[in-house]
Amino acid sequence: MAGLKERFQAFVNNRWLVFVVAIWMQSCTGPGYIFGSISPVIKSSLNYNQRQLSKLGVAKDLGGSVGFIAGGLCEILPIWGVLLIGALQNLIGYSSLWLIVTGKVPVFPLWAMCVLIFVGHNGETYFNTAALVSCVQNFPKSRGPVVGILKGFAALSGAILTQIYKMINFPDQASLIFMVAVGPTMVVFALMFIIRPVGGYKEVRPSDGLSFTVVYSVCLLLAAYLMAIMLLEDLVSLSHNLITIFTLILFVPLFIPIVLSFCEGHRDPAEEVLLPKPYQHDAGNPEQDTREHEVVSSEFKDVNPEEVDSLVVPEGQKRIAQLKAKLFQATAEGTVRLKNRKGPHRGEDFTLMQALIKADFWLIMFSLLLGSGSGLTVIDNLGQMSQSLGYDNTHIFVSMICIWNFIGRVGGGFISEIIVRYRL
């Protein structure tokens, strides 16, 4: 019984389980990407013109852009608390919008409608922040794949939610707004206690490369399957039962990566030294190990970390011990003077004020500012664009742009990791 309890605890605290659950959450918590599907019913029900609808789209985009509140709350609240706030915002904003569109409550002024959709879509920033912060801390040396996959599934959620909407077969188009309000909230409530930093993983494991290859394969398989069934549903008239079966099969690949958590559950005891667990340090002098780590990392920058990571565990330990001994000997003789580190280095955690004085921060900010606007404009107005061309079913176009958005994000994460790791 004790052994079963330990295995269960190891499974719950496994970083791959957290990563897979974060993928599940991101797959259902991206309602902003289906605004093109819900905008036609908002326009017709509330008698809005294109200018008024565009203001709603701008308010929605602003809600998805104001993420510093969620980031600040991550510093003072547990991850589940951040997810809870986001779920409540999503529920309040989109459920209020659904009540107004269906005529259950009086129509609010346009500025109040903008506030509601801002609040609803701002909840997505809490989901993204919680998932990214947790998984980046769990995989500190695989940031590119982690961010690319999670953000990719956030975009793919628009196509997934659309397919679920077809499976449930709601009586009207306004029900899609109801599903956007309730669906992500239920998913977050079910998963918010699993998504968290589990800690203790600071080294690259030999199995990480194969594991991420499996995840990438699952991503491509899922995107290809989703596009295939959407095209099939558009070209051929399918029964509701067949659509339900196709949609349920859609979620099968998402369970495949969970095998990775079992594969990492049994490790060679010699590999445990690669995990900097708190109880492995000297309880009487906890600052000494931290100082030694900073000394070695700050002075021996010419040593390639991959050379140490590629060594077997005993050789890696011996190499690190030699570096420490050589450094402290040189320091004692006065031939090397230790440098005090001022602020974090690239790749480490920054506070907001530390980031504001870095050129990398402003480069990323202006790149997003100049490059993201055109894509959001197309996503927000895709429903009206397809209707102007004579297409009544706007869902397939929204789903296809979500799929290609997903492929671009996942591919960007994969390519960025290659560039960083191999310095191409």
Side-chain angles (χ1 to χ4, degrees), residues 142-161:
S142 301
R143 294 181 177 90
V146 167
V147 174
I149 292 171
L150 290 178
K151 293 296 293 182
F153 272 97
L156 192 65
S157 64
I160 294 176
L161 289 174

PDB file of all heavy atoms in Angstrom, residues 142-161:
ATOM      1  N   SER A 142      14.264  23.816 -21.959  1.00  0.00           N
ATOM      2  CA  SER A 142      13.494  23.506 -23.171  1.00  0.00           C
ATOM      3  C   SER A 142      12.386  24.533 -23.332  1.00  0.00           C
ATOM      4  O   SER A 142      11.237  24.189 -23.610  1.00  0.00           O
ATOM      5  CB  SER A 142      12.911  22.088 -23.092  1.00  0.00           C
ATOM      6  OG  SER A 142      13.922  21.123 -22.946  1.00  0.00           O
ATOM      7  N   ARG A 143      12.742  25.800 -23.160  1.00  0.00           N
ATOM      8  CA  ARG A 143      11.731  26.849 -23.194  1.00  0.00           C
ATOM      9  C   ARG A 143      11.074  26.968 -24.568  1.00  0.00           C
ATOM     10  O   ARG A 143       9.865  27.198 -24.663  1.00  0.00           O
ATOM     11  CB  ARG A 143      12.359  28.189 -22.813  1.00  0.00           C
ATOM     12  CG  ARG A 143      12.857  28.266 -21.375  1.00  0.00           C
ATOM     13  CD  ARG A 143      13.443  29.640 -21.081  1.00  0.00           C
ATOM     14  NE  ARG A 143      13.875  29.770 -19.699  1.00  0.00           N
ATOM     15  CZ  ARG A 143      15.085  29.476 -19.267  1.00  0.00           C
ATOM     16  NH1 ARG A 143      15.994  29.035 -20.129  1.00  0.00           N
ATOM     17  NH2 ARG A 143      15.404  29.616 -17.993  1.00  0.00           N
ATOM     18  N   GLY A 144      11.861  26.843 -25.632  1.00  0.00           N
ATOM     19  CA  GLY A 144      11.313  26.997 -26.974  1.00  0.00           C
ATOM     20  C   GLY A 144      10.205  26.010 -27.281  1.00  0.00           C
ATOM     21  O   GLY A 144       9.088  26.413 -27.651  1.00  0.00           O
ATOM     22  N   PRO A 145      10.452  24.699 -27.167  1.00  0.00           N
ATOM     23  CA  PRO A 145       9.369  23.736 -27.421  1.00  0.00           C
ATOM     24  C   PRO A 145       8.181  23.916 -26.495  1.00  0.00           C
ATOM     25  O   PRO A 145       7.026  23.806 -26.936  1.00  0.00           O
ATOM     26  CB  PRO A 145      10.054  22.380 -27.200  1.00  0.00           C
ATOM     27  CG  PRO A 145      11.497  22.631 -27.413  1.00  0.00           C
ATOM     28  CD  PRO A 145      11.736  24.029 -26.936  1.00  0.00           C
ATOM     29  N   VAL A 146       8.427  24.196 -25.224  1.00  0.00           N
ATOM     30  CA  VAL A 146       7.332  24.316 -24.262  1.00  0.00           C
ATOM     31  C   VAL A 146       6.426  25.488 -24.623  1.00  0.00           C
ATOM     32  O   VAL A 146       5.193  25.351 -24.709  1.00  0.00           O
ATOM     33  CB  VAL A 146       7.891  24.467 -22.833  1.00  0.00           C
ATOM     34  CG1 VAL A 146       6.803  24.919 -21.873  1.00  0.00           C
ATOM     35  CG2 VAL A 146       8.487  23.160 -22.354  1.00  0.00           C
ATOM     36  N   VAL A 147       7.016  26.663 -24.854  1.00  0.00           N
ATOM     37  CA  VAL A 147       6.218  27.845 -25.180  1.00  0.00           C
ATOM     38  C   VAL A 147       5.524  27.666 -26.525  1.00  0.00           C
ATOM     39  O   VAL A 147       4.335  28.005 -26.677  1.00  0.00           O
ATOM     40  CB  VAL A 147       7.112  29.101 -25.182  1.00  0.00           C
ATOM     41  CG1 VAL A 147       6.325  30.316 -25.659  1.00  0.00           C
ATOM     42  CG2 VAL A 147       7.665  29.359 -23.782  1.00  0.00           C
ATOM     43  N   GLY A 148       6.235  27.136 -27.521  1.00  0.00           N
ATOM     44  CA  GLY A 148       5.633  26.946 -28.834  1.00  0.00           C
ATOM     45  C   GLY A 148       4.446  26.004 -28.802  1.00  0.00           C
ATOM     46  O   GLY A 148       3.399  26.269 -29.402  1.00  0.00           O
ATOM     47  N   ILE A 149       4.574  24.885 -28.094  1.00  0.00           N
ATOM     48  CA  ILE A 149       3.487  23.908 -28.043  1.00  0.00           C
ATOM     49  C   ILE A 149       2.295  24.454 -27.283  1.00  0.00           C
ATOM     50  O   ILE A 149       1.139  24.342 -27.724  1.00  0.00           O
ATOM     51  CB  ILE A 149       3.994  22.591 -27.415  1.00  0.00           C
ATOM     52  CG1 ILE A 149       4.993  21.912 -28.363  1.00  0.00           C
ATOM     53  CG2 ILE A 149       2.840  21.647 -27.108  1.00  0.00           C
ATOM     54  CD1 ILE A 149       5.704  20.729 -27.749  1.00  0.00           C
ATOM     55  N   LEU A 150       2.529  25.075 -26.127  1.00  0.00           N
ATOM     56  CA  LEU A 150       1.414  25.586 -25.331  1.00  0.00           C
ATOM     57  C   LEU A 150       0.687  26.722 -26.045  1.00  0.00           C
ATOM     58  O   LEU A 150      -0.550  26.760 -26.084  1.00  0.00           O
ATOM     59  CB  LEU A 150       1.923  26.052 -23.972  1.00  0.00           C
ATOM     60  CG  LEU A 150       2.384  24.950 -23.006  1.00  0.00           C
ATOM     61  CD1 LEU A 150       2.907  25.560 -21.712  1.00  0.00           C
ATOM     62  CD2 LEU A 150       1.261  23.972 -22.707  1.00  0.00           C
ATOM     63  N   LYS A 151       1.429  27.665 -26.606  1.00  0.00           N
ATOM     64  CA  LYS A 151       0.776  28.749 -27.339  1.00  0.00           C
ATOM     65  C   LYS A 151       0.118  28.239 -28.613  1.00  0.00           C
ATOM     66  O   LYS A 151      -0.907  28.780 -29.055  1.00  0.00           O
ATOM     67  CB  LYS A 151       1.810  29.830 -27.681  1.00  0.00           C
ATOM     68  CG  LYS A 151       2.358  30.569 -26.466  1.00  0.00           C
ATOM     69  CD  LYS A 151       1.268  31.351 -25.756  1.00  0.00           C
ATOM     70  CE  LYS A 151       0.748  32.495 -26.575  1.00  0.00           C
ATOM     71  NZ  LYS A 151      -0.292  33.281 -25.858  1.00  0.00           N
ATOM     72  N   GLY A 152       0.686  27.193 -29.208  1.00  0.00           N
ATOM     73  CA  GLY A 152       0.062  26.611 -30.380  1.00  0.00           C
ATOM     74  C   GLY A 152      -1.292  26.003 -30.066  1.00  0.00           C
ATOM     75  O   GLY A 152      -2.263  26.197 -30.806  1.00  0.00           O
ATOM     76  N   PHE A 153      -1.382  25.289 -28.957  1.00  0.00           N
ATOM     77  CA  PHE A 153      -2.663  24.691 -28.584  1.00  0.00           C
ATOM     78  C   PHE A 153      -3.664  25.758 -28.160  1.00  0.00           C
ATOM     79  O   PHE A 153      -4.880  25.530 -28.271  1.00  0.00           O
ATOM     80  CB  PHE A 153      -2.469  23.668 -27.474  1.00  0.00           C
ATOM     81  CG  PHE A 153      -2.163  22.293 -27.989  1.00  0.00           C
ATOM     82  CD1 PHE A 153      -0.864  21.846 -28.078  1.00  0.00           C
ATOM     83  CD2 PHE A 153      -3.175  21.450 -28.411  1.00  0.00           C
ATOM     84  CE1 PHE A 153      -0.566  20.582 -28.559  1.00  0.00           C
ATOM     85  CE2 PHE A 153      -2.901  20.193 -28.890  1.00  0.00           C
ATOM     86  CZ  PHE A 153      -1.596  19.745 -28.962  1.00  0.00           C
ATOM     87  N   ALA A 154      -3.197  26.897 -27.650  1.00  0.00           N
ATOM     88  CA  ALA A 154      -4.118  27.998 -27.357  1.00  0.00           C
ATOM     89  C   ALA A 154      -4.791  28.481 -28.634  1.00  0.00           C
ATOM     90  O   ALA A 154      -5.984  28.826 -28.635  1.00  0.00           O
ATOM     91  CB  ALA A 154      -3.377  29.138 -26.670  1.00  0.00           C
ATOM     92  N   ALA A 155      -4.039  28.524 -29.732  1.00  0.00           N
ATOM     93  CA  ALA A 155      -4.623  28.906 -31.019  1.00  0.00           C
ATOM     94  C   ALA A 155      -5.504  27.797 -31.578  1.00  0.00           C
ATOM     95  O   ALA A 155      -6.570  28.047 -32.148  1.00  0.00           O
ATOM     96  CB  ALA A 155      -3.508  29.250 -32.011  1.00  0.00           C
ATOM     97  N   LEU A 156      -5.077  26.545 -31.406  1.00  0.00           N
ATOM     98  CA  LEU A 156      -5.856  25.424 -31.924  1.00  0.00           C
ATOM     99  C   LEU A 156      -7.176  25.256 -31.189  1.00  0.00           C
ATOM    100  O   LEU A 156      -8.097  24.599 -31.690  1.00  0.00           O
ATOM    101  CB  LEU A 156      -5.031  24.137 -31.815  1.00  0.00           C
ATOM    102  CG  LEU A 156      -5.568  22.905 -32.554  1.00  0.00           C
ATOM    103  CD1 LEU A 156      -5.554  23.132 -34.047  1.00  0.00           C
ATOM    104  CD2 LEU A 156      -4.758  21.669 -32.198  1.00  0.00           C
ATOM    105  N   SER A 157      -7.286  25.828 -29.999  1.00  0.00           N
ATOM    106  CA  SER A 157      -8.517  25.670 -29.217  1.00  0.00           C
ATOM    107  C   SER A 157      -9.731  26.223 -29.964  1.00  0.00           C
ATOM    108  O   SER A 157     -10.854  25.748 -29.762  1.00  0.00           O
ATOM    109  CB  SER A 157      -8.374  26.374 -27.875  1.00  0.00           C
ATOM    110  OG  SER A 157      -8.218  27.777 -28.050  1.00  0.00           O
ATOM    111  N   GLY A 158      -9.524  27.235 -30.824  1.00  0.00           N
ATOM    112  CA  GLY A 158     -10.646  27.741 -31.600  1.00  0.00           C
ATOM    113  C   GLY A 158     -11.243  26.676 -32.493  1.00  0.00           C
ATOM    114  O   GLY A 158     -12.471  26.521 -32.574  1.00  0.00           O
ATOM    115  N   ALA A 159     -10.388  25.896 -33.159  1.00  0.00           N
ATOM    116  CA  ALA A 159     -10.886  24.808 -34.012  1.00  0.00           C
ATOM    117  C   ALA A 159     -11.485  23.682 -33.178  1.00  0.00           C
ATOM    118  O   ALA A 159     -12.492  23.073 -33.566  1.00  0.00           O
ATOM    119  CB  ALA A 159      -9.749  24.284 -34.886  1.00  0.00           C
ATOM    120  N   ILE A 160     -10.878  23.387 -32.031  1.00  0.00           N
ATOM    121  CA  ILE A 160     -11.395  22.310 -31.176  1.00  0.00           C
ATOM    122  C   ILE A 160     -12.758  22.675 -30.611  1.00  0.00           C
ATOM    123  O   ILE A 160     -13.697  21.861 -30.606  1.00  0.00           O
ATOM    124  CB  ILE A 160     -10.393  21.997 -30.054  1.00  0.00           C
ATOM    125  CG1 ILE A 160      -9.105  21.419 -30.649  1.00  0.00           C
ATOM    126  CG2 ILE A 160     -10.979  21.027 -29.054  1.00  0.00           C
ATOM    127  CD1 ILE A 160      -8.010  21.162 -29.644  1.00  0.00           C
ATOM    128  N   LEU A 161     -12.918  23.905 -30.122  1.00  0.00           N
ATOM    129  CA  LEU A 161     -14.207  24.338 -29.592  1.00  0.00           C
ATOM    130  C   LEU A 161     -15.279  24.346 -30.681  1.00  0.00           C
ATOM    131  O   LEU A 161     -16.445  23.996 -30.422  1.00  0.00           O
ATOM    132  CB  LEU A 161     -14.081  25.723 -28.973  1.00  0.00           C
ATOM    133  CG  LEU A 161     -13.294  25.823 -27.660  1.00  0.00           C
ATOM    134  CD1 LEU A 161     -13.118  27.280 -27.245  1.00  0.00           C
ATOM    135  CD2 LEU A 161     -13.989  25.046 -26.553  1.00  0.00           C
TER     136      LEU A 161
END
